Amino acid sequence: VMNAEFGKQWYQRRVRASGPIALYFFCRAFQCVYKKLIQDEIIREIPYDVLLLFTVSTAITIHTGVCEPHLMRPSYTTFLNYLTDERYRKLDRKLINVVMKNVDKAAKT
């Protein structure tokens, strides 16, 4: 029983917490490969690449927040409220139910 409890605690502390760390390392590895390919002149630099990356990642976050709010962490919800001047919090999800079912119920859980 003690080993099972230890295994559960280890999983919760290490494996679950490593998700954001893995995502961070993936993004950094992608950036390093991208810069190396530009340096070796294999590909050309994309104009406004940082702005494009921020725009795409914010769009994905907004889509997840609107269509699948139960998958969002509270810190992302805070970010979207800040970004939209509290309009995200006031979003009427009943209108989205026309296209996607049970979005308003998922937001409450």
Side-chain angles (χ1 to χ4, degrees):
V1 175
M2 188 171 179
N3 287 338
E5 186 64 29
F6 174 77
K8 179 182 174 186
Q9 289 177 0
W10 181 86
Y11 173 78
Q12 289 176 342
R13 288 186 191 148
R14 301 284 186 241
V15 177
R16 282 179 149 179
S18 67
I21 295 169
L23 185 59
Y24 171 77
F25 279 119
F26 174 76
C27 292
R28 296 298 292 175
F30 179 78
Q31 181 184 14
C32 290
V33 169
Y34 173 69
K35 295 294 181 185
K36 181 67 175 160
L37 291 173
I38 291 171
Q39 183 181 9
D40 292 345
E41 297 180 353
I42 296 173
I43 63 172
R44 292 186 297 172
E45 186 172 5
I46 300 171
Y48 306 107
D49 54 354
V50 175
L51 182 63
L52 181 65
L53 179 64
F54 178 76
T55 304
V56 169
S57 63
T58 304
I60 291 170
T61 305
I62 290 172
H63 176 269
T64 304
V66 170
C67 298
E68 301 175 14
H70 58 284
L71 299 177
M72 293 277 291
R73 290 185 179 193
S75 60
Y76 294 133
T77 304
T78 304
F79 169 71
L80 288 179
N81 280 325
Y82 171 76
L83 189 70
T84 61
D85 196 28
E86 297 295 321
R87 288 186 185 103
Y88 174 75
R89 185 175 52 83
K90 299 173 186 175
L91 181 68
D92 186 11
R93 289 190 170 84
K94 292 177 184 175
L95 298 174
I96 302 169
N97 275 339
V98 174
V99 179
M100 300 183 69
K101 301 296 181 201
N102 299 325
V103 171
D104 59 339
K105 291 179 186 175
K108 294 175 185 174
T109 58

